[in-house]
Amino acid sequence: MAALVFCFAATTYAAQDPFASQSFGTPEADEFLPVDQAYKQDFLFEPGGTDAIFQIAQGYYLYRDKLAIYRIDGEQKTPLTLALPAGENVWDDYYEKNTEVYRLQLEVPLTLPASTGPQELEVHYQGCADAGLCYPPQVRYFRLDTAAGSAAPIPAPTAGTPARANSASAAPTTGTTGTGDLTLPLAIALAFIGGLLLNLMPCVFPVLSIKVLAISHAAQHGGQRRAHGWAYSAGVVLSFVLIAALMLALRAGGEAIGWGFQLQSPWLVAALAYLFFAMGLSLSGLTEFGARLMGIGHNLSAEQGLRGSFATGALATLVASPCTAPLMGSALGYAVTQPAALALAVFGALGAGMAAPFLLLTYIPALAERLPRPGPWMDRLKQLLAFPMYLTAVWLLWVLGRQTGSDGMALALGGAVAVAFALWLWPRSQWHWGRGAVALAALLLALLLLPQLSTMRAAAPQDSDYWQAYSAARLDDARNAGHPVLANMTAAWCITCLANEKAVLSSDAVSDTIDQLGVVALKGDWTNQDPEISQLLARYGRTSVPLYLLYPAGGGEPQILPQVLTRDGLIRALNAAAQQGERATAGTIDTPAADGAPL
């Protein structure tokens, strides 16, 4: 009997020509293969049995310890015993341990029970590219008929069907779509909604308040309002795309970075603190410096005002990008696994969502009718809006202190004094070389302090309360000991993370539950770049924090918790994880990522 081979691209439901040529090229520096082109699943039917075959693109590899295959029979899901061949033994720089990987092709004999009808299989796997990208864990489903020697991919079971409901790793979650289930239209929709929600984040409010002031200047002129709206929107969308392009280029070059990476640079955090401090001083009336940037000067031309709106959009993007709103995580995790053009389309949709509310307001005629006419009240409003600028500068200095310690914060505060001195001296109506030269020297001094911050580092995070500092070794030790584990990946510049810390994770109810259940709580601080945390984020399809992983007792893959936590939901999940140990099986992966709703 001749062997039959069925080769599938898992995103389609039709078998390919078994004799079609399979040519896999090395990934370009700026582009990675979609996951279903990097790893193709085949089945080989021979008289002696059935084999599962993975065809792996050149320049990519598959993890041995992430492979698992289950047979689905009604409400039961039984793991198959796999006789895996020895793989290539490589050193994992991130986890600091040896691990086995497969390249080019892997053939796995399957031990299937005798059956007169079709059998359904659930295949789990995960792999990475040599160029630096790790794909999220993947799950694919197939229907095999060994008697007929045929196989076909089938859609994933929907939530609530027996196979999914009885998965060993299924934990109580209100999840939506994981990155493995996303399509481009859905990722764009999630990114757009996530961008809308970014406008509710505290880090964006100070910049939006400037635009409210600018639109008040133009309230009686509909054409000017709309022009401001479009200029601001262009600044937001273009800046999102440019930051994303830089991130993708650096990732393609092997850098372990994610979304919001710019605030992992202490000198940039300090520069932004200078900028917001200077804008606050300008709004307070110390100087008119920065009026063109903000687009709020009384004497600006229309062209200068539009440039200011564009610049404000860029500034809003710079300070908003470290924030992570609900629904963003899955969309951005999907984006970084796609070719550059598709990835940038998702990031562009994120920017469009953030810009949409302000643009919409400029097209509402009732807005102009409700706003008072320009007058002395605007000077008082302008002075009031200086205080959100100062508070933003304080927050950025606090982030800097977490990155560089008290010495770095003191250095930046000295630079801020130099900036204030320069603005106080800055010539007003007519340039004066004496005052101007001293002011420029003070600004130069403040700028020269910035490179010094890159050499400073705060002390390593210490254990506190019930939290232990995250490391891959600690995670492995806790899991090998059979403990449930809560892993919290956070950063000082992540507003969502800080809100969850104060409202949920630091509460007595959660602390008592963790203590009673013997949960090992690990906190990873991504305020500064940390390759271990970057690798963990990539493994679970995330480009930034927060990421909350709940590992069940006794083994098994983690449940990805929502980005917005609630106390009751987290406590229920902790109890379920503690009781799940005997049901968990190695290699089981929880694919839904509940970004869209609080737990």
Side-chain angles (χ1 to χ4, degrees):
M1 177 179 177
L4 295 178
V5 179
F6 288 82
C7 178
F8 307 102
T11 52
T12 65
Y13 300 112
Q16 298 178 354
D17 179 359
F19 301 102
S21 62
Q22 305 293 326
S23 61
F24 299 109
T26 301
E28 298 295 333
D30 60 347
E31 184 172 299
F32 293 97
L33 292 174
V35 64
D36 291 314
Q37 293 183 22
Y39 309 100
K40 295 186 177 183
Q41 293 84 51
D42 305 347
F43 289 93
L44 175 65
F45 295 91
E46 294 184 311
T50 303
D51 293 351
I53 298 176
F54 285 88
Q55 295 188 4
I56 306 167
Q58 184 178 351
Y60 294 76
Y61 56 87
L62 202 62
Y63 283 108
R64 185 181 193 271
D65 61 358
K66 296 298 182 182
L67 281 170
I69 301 179
Y70 299 84
R71 179 176 176 269
I72 301 173
D73 184 11
E75 296 186 359
Q76 300 297 322
K77 192 171 81 168
T78 307
L80 299 182
T81 301
L82 303 181
L84 295 173
E88 176 186 345
N89 202 331
V90 298
W91 176 257
D92 192 317
D93 289 327
Y94 295 113
Y95 285 91
E96 297 184 349
K97 66 176 184 180
N98 287 311
T99 187
E100 289 186 66
V101 299
Y102 299 113
R103 297 180 184 275
L104 298 181
Q105 181 166 302
L106 168 66
E107 186 171 338
V108 183
L110 301 180
T111 304
L112 296 173
S115 175
T116 57
Q119 303 182 62
E120 293 185 0
L121 298 183
E122 181 178 300
V123 181
H124 295 248
Y125 62 96
Q126 184 181 13
C128 299
D130 288 330
L133 173 72
C134 280
Y135 294 93
Q138 302 293 316
V139 183
R140 298 294 183 267
Y141 297 85
F142 299 91
R143 179 175 289 113
L144 276 62
D145 189 338
T146 54
S150 63
I154 56 175
T158 56
T161 59
R164 178 64 54 89
N166 286 275
S167 172
S169 66
T173 180
T174 54
T176 55
T177 306
T179 55
D181 302 320
L182 284 185
T183 61
L184 180 61
L186 181 56
I188 288 176
L190 292 178
F192 185 85
I193 297 172
L196 289 173
L197 296 176
L198 272 180
N199 289 285
L200 304 177
M201 296 294 171
C203 47
V204 183
F205 170 74
V207 182
L208 290 181
S209 64
I210 295 175
K211 293 319 301 167
V212 171
L213 184 61
I215 204 174
S216 298
H217 278 283
Q220 307 304 316
H221 306 282
Q224 288 186 25
R225 289 199 317 273
R226 290 188 288 274
H228 273 287
W230 281 108
Y232 171 80
S233 300
V236 169
V237 174
L238 183 60
S239 299
F240 264 100
V241 171
L242 289 177
I243 292 175
L246 178 59
M247 180 193 74
L248 294 173
L250 292 173
R251 286 172 66 97
E255 295 291 330
I257 61 172
W259 189 240
F261 70 95
Q262 67 272 20
L263 287 195
Q264 291 178 328
S265 300
W267 68 267
L268 182 56
V269 173
L272 286 173
Y274 287 175
L275 178 59
F276 276 94
F277 181 54
M279 291 164 65
L281 293 176
S282 179
L283 290 170
S284 295
L286 177 69
T287 179
E288 288 299 319
F289 180 85
R292 293 186 179 185
L293 169 66
M294 295 181 282
I296 59 174
H298 292 283
N299 300 319
L300 292 180
S301 66
E303 182 180 353
Q304 290 171 336
L306 292 180
R307 286 204 299 266
S309 292
F310 182 91
T312 305
L315 181 61
T317 300
L318 198 60
V319 296
S321 55
C323 293
T324 303
L327 303 178
M328 278 179 56
S330 294
L332 301 191
Y334 168 85
V336 298
T337 66
Q338 303 303 305
L342 299 183
L344 294 179
V346 175
F347 284 100
L350 181 64
M354 180 174 159
F358 182 79
L359 180 62
L360 182 62
L361 285 176
T362 64
Y363 276 84
I364 299 177
L367 176 65
E369 298 173 3
R370 291 180 179 274
L371 288 175
R373 293 182 178 277
W377 69 272
M378 298 189 69
D379 286 331
R380 298 296 299 272
L381 176 61
K382 184 174 74 170
Q383 292 168 13
L384 177 64
L385 292 178
F387 292 96
M389 302 297 147
Y390 295 138
L391 289 174
T392 304
V394 169
W395 167 63
L396 288 167
L397 287 172
W398 175 75
V399 171
L400 183 67
R402 292 285 298 271
Q403 293 175 320
T404 63
S406 57
D407 290 345
M409 184 185 289
L411 199 66
L413 286 170
V417 172
V419 169
F421 181 66
L423 295 181
W424 177 69
L425 280 177
W426 198 265
R428 303 295 197 275
S429 56
Q430 186 176 1
W431 180 259
H432 186 279
W433 277 107
R435 291 167 60 94
V438 176
L440 288 173
L443 284 176
L444 181 61
L445 173 63
L447 295 175
L448 289 176
L449 294 177
L450 296 179
Q452 306 301 318
L453 297 171
S454 298
T455 63
M456 299 180 177
R457 284 291 181 269
Q462 302 296 317
D463 297 350
S464 62
D465 300 327
Y466 56 82
W467 293 107
Q468 302 177 41
Y470 169 81
S471 71
R474 274 186 169 175
L475 176 60
D476 288 342
D477 289 344
R479 298 191 68 196
N480 291 337
H483 295 294
V485 180
L486 175 62
N488 167 20
M489 302 299 112
T490 183
W493 37 258
C494 170
I495 300 295
T496 308
C497 305
L498 298 178
N500 285 329
E501 291 270 356
K502 297 298 183 185
V504 179
L505 296 172
S506 297
S507 67
D508 291 338
V510 170
S511 177
D512 291 344
T513 301
I514 286 176
D515 184 58
Q516 293 168 7
L517 298 176
V519 176
V520 176
L522 301 178
K523 178 188 286 188
D525 189 349
W526 209 45
T527 303
N528 288 319
Q529 179 56 252
D530 187 320
E532 273 196 338
I533 297 175
S534 299
Q535 178 75 351
L536 186 68
L537 292 171
R539 284 180 184 274
Y540 294 99
R542 293 295 180 268
T543 61
S544 189
V545 293
L547 174 65
Y548 305 107
L549 299 173
L550 184 55
Y551 295 84
E557 288 295 322
Q559 177 193 1
I560 302 176
L561 300 180
Q563 292 175 323
V564 179
L565 300 173
T566 64
R567 269 180 264 184
D568 291 342
L570 179 57
I571 289 171
R572 284 196 302 271
L574 289 169
N575 279 290
Q579 298 169 5
Q580 196 179 337
E582 294 183 0
R583 300 194 305 270
T585 53
T588 306
I589 296 174
D590 185 347
T591 53
D595 291 332
L599 180 70

